[in-house]
Amino acid sequence: IAAVCLNQFQVTSFQYFFVLIFGSVWGLSQNYTTIMVLLVPGIGLGIGIAFGPAYIDRRGGFKTVAGMTTSLLILKRICVLVVVGSLFGMLAIYLKFRGLDTLEFADYGDVWLYLVWVSMLILFSGHAACVAAIQGINTEAVEGDLRSFASGIETSIRNFLGYFAGTFLPGLVMDVWGGAAGWNTVEPGIEQNWAYCVGLAFIFFSGVPATLVLGRAVKAARELLHRDRELALTSLRMAMQDQDLVKLKAALKLAKIAELQTTKGGQAVMGMAYEVLGAGSFSSVDSSKLATEDAAYAKLLGRNAELETELALLCRRNAELEMQVLEFKARFAAEKSIQNSAEAAVGNVQSSRASL
C-alpha cells in the first residue's frame, strides 16, 4: 500500500502543479504548457502500460508466493530507474535554481527544462509499469473472503495519501520553505520561482523512498517463500518415508506452487517423487539415495547456520572498527588543533621579537 501511495503521490503532484510551475519558472505560454502536460505524462504512461504489466505477468505474476517474489524483485529494479530519474530531475532543478541556465539551444530554449521533462518521462514510465502489479499483489496477499474489504481500504488510503496529499503537500512545502527563507511567494517574481523550484524538487524526491519500501517487501516475500519451500520439502520427505502416494501427490502439488524445483535439493527430491508417481509404487526408489539426499540437506542447513554465525561476528567486528576509526579521527583532529595553536603561538612570539 505504501508503494502504491508513493506512486500516486508523485504522479498526481506532477500533473497538478505542471502548468503552474513550468508556466511561471520557465515563462512558457499557457497553450504550450497545456500541450506538454498532456504529452510528457501521456508518453511516459503509455510506454509503462505497454511494456510493464505484460513483462511482470510473464516473468512472475502474483498468483503464488514464488511469482509474487519474482514480481516484487522486478518492481524493485524498475523503481531503481524511478530513483535515477528522480535524482536526475532534482539535479536539473538545482542547477536551474542556482541560475545556471546559460546552457541553451539556439532556437529551442533552456536545456534544464528538457532534462526535467526527460526525468518526468522516466518517472511516469516506471510508475505506470508498476502500479497494476502492485495492486494485484496487494489483492492476492489477503484471504479470498477479505479481498473486497482490503481493496476498499487500499483505495481509501491511496486516495488520501496519494491523490489528496499529492495536491496538498508540495504547496505546503513551497509555503513553509519560502516563509522560512523570507521569500515573497505571493507576488510573481524570482522569489516565487525559487519556491516553485523547491516544490518541484520535493515532488522529484518523493520517488526515492519507493525503492526502500519495495526492498522491505522483497525481503518479506523471500522469507515467506523460504518457509513455504521448507514446508514443501519436508512434506515430500515425510511422504517418501511413509510411502504414501496420496500424501506424495499433495506434497508434490505444494512443491510445484513453491517452485521447489528451482532449488538444488528440491529438484532432486521432486525428481524422485515423479519417479514414484510414474511407477505407481515406491519400489523403484532407492532408499540409500533418499538417505544420501537427507544427509546432504542436513549438511547444507548446518553450513547455513555456520555462515550466519560468521556474519554476525563480522558485523560486530565491523562496528568495533568503525568506532576505532571515529576515535582516531577525533584524536587526529585534537592533535591537529593543538599543533595549529602551537604554531600560532610561535608565530606570535616571533612577531613580538621582531617588533622589539
Side-chain angles (χ1 to χ4, degrees):
I1 294 178
V4 175
C5 291
L6 290 171
N7 183 307
Q8 298 302 312
F9 175 88
Q10 194 171 39
V11 171
T12 302
S13 297
F14 276 127
Q15 293 175 332
Y16 186 78
F17 289 99
F18 192 99
V19 175
L20 176 65
I21 292 177
F22 290 102
S24 176
V25 176
W26 275 273
L28 304 179
S29 66
Q30 186 173 3
N31 292 336
Y32 181 63
T33 310
T34 303
I35 293 174
M36 297 310 297
V37 78
L38 297 176
L39 285 180
V40 175
I43 294 174
L45 294 173
I47 294 173
I49 293 172
F51 298 101
Y55 175 76
I56 295 171
D57 190 59
R58 184 171 62 253
R59 293 296 301 273
F62 40 83
K63 294 296 183 182
T64 63
V65 176
M68 289 183 186
T69 304
T70 303
S71 297
L72 285 171
L73 185 58
I74 295 173
L75 291 172
K76 181 182 176 182
R77 292 171 180 170
I78 295 175
C79 279
V80 171
L81 184 64
V82 172
V83 171
V84 171
S86 297
L87 297 177
F88 194 65
M90 291 173 64
L91 176 61
I93 289 298
Y94 172 77
L95 296 176
K96 178 64 178 179
F97 179 79
R98 292 300 299 267
L100 302 178
D101 55 353
T102 57
L103 185 61
E104 296 183 353
F105 292 123
D107 299 324
Y108 300 100
D110 190 2
V111 172
W112 307 124
L113 172 64
Y114 299 109
L115 292 180
V116 170
W117 283 349
V118 169
S119 302
M120 292 177 61
L121 191 68
I122 295 173
L123 295 176
F124 278 101
S125 299
H127 286 316
C130 293
V131 65
I134 295 175
Q135 291 178 347
I137 291 173
N138 288 339
T139 302
E140 292 291 334
V142 298
E143 299 295 335
D145 56 343
L146 295 176
R147 287 178 182 172
S148 298
F149 177 74
S151 178
I153 293 296
E154 182 199 26
T155 302
S156 300
I157 296 176
R158 183 174 73 245
N159 288 339
F160 183 75
L161 297 181
Y163 297 121
F164 170 74
T167 59
F168 174 73
L169 282 182
L172 180 63
V173 169
M174 296 178 201
D175 291 338
V176 172
W177 192 292
W183 297 338
N184 182 6
T185 60
V186 178
E187 298 179 1
I190 186 64
E191 293 183 348
Q192 187 185 70
N193 291 342
W194 289 348
Y196 287 161
C197 286
V198 171
L200 187 58
F202 172 75
I203 297 173
F204 273 113
F205 177 77
S206 64
V208 175
T211 303
L212 303 178
V213 173
L214 286 174
R216 295 291 299 273
V218 169
K219 181 180 178 181
R222 283 176 171 171
E223 292 176 354
L224 180 59
L225 179 60
H226 179 71
R227 290 197 297 266
D228 287 352
R229 286 176 173 173
E230 290 288 335
L231 177 61
L233 187 59
T234 302
S235 300
L236 280 173
R237 293 182 182 278
M238 291 181 63
M240 297 285 285
Q241 292 173 359
D242 296 341
Q243 297 189 356
D244 189 329
L245 288 176
V246 177
K247 289 183 179 179
L248 185 62
K249 290 180 180 179
L252 194 57
K253 182 179 180 180
L254 183 62
K256 290 173 65 178
I257 294 175
E259 296 184 4
L260 189 62
Q261 70 276 6
T262 58
T263 63
K264 184 177 180 180
Q267 185 179 12
V269 176
M270 288 185 69
M272 287 187 289
Y274 280 119
E275 183 181 347
V276 170
L277 292 179
S281 66
F282 286 87
S283 59
S284 61
V285 179
D286 187 359
S287 58
S288 62
K289 183 178 180 181
L290 182 60
T292 302
E293 293 293 338
D294 288 337
Y297 179 67
K299 184 178 179 180
L300 287 174
L301 290 180
R303 181 56 179 163
N304 182 65
E306 293 176 0
L307 291 175
E308 289 181 350
T309 302
E310 292 178 5
L311 178 61
L313 293 175
L314 289 174
C315 290
R316 186 184 306 171
R317 179 56 179 166
N318 181 64
E320 293 175 355
L321 291 174
E322 288 180 350
M323 290 297 298
Q324 292 177 5
V325 170
L326 292 176
E327 292 176 358
F328 174 78
K329 288 182 178 180
R331 288 200 304 268
F332 178 79
E335 292 175 357
K336 188 67 175 178
S337 178
I338 294 173
Q339 181 180 358
N340 292 336
S341 300
E343 292 177 352
V346 171
N348 293 331
V349 171
Q350 292 177 349
S351 300
S352 299
R353 290 178 177 177
S355 63
L356 292 174

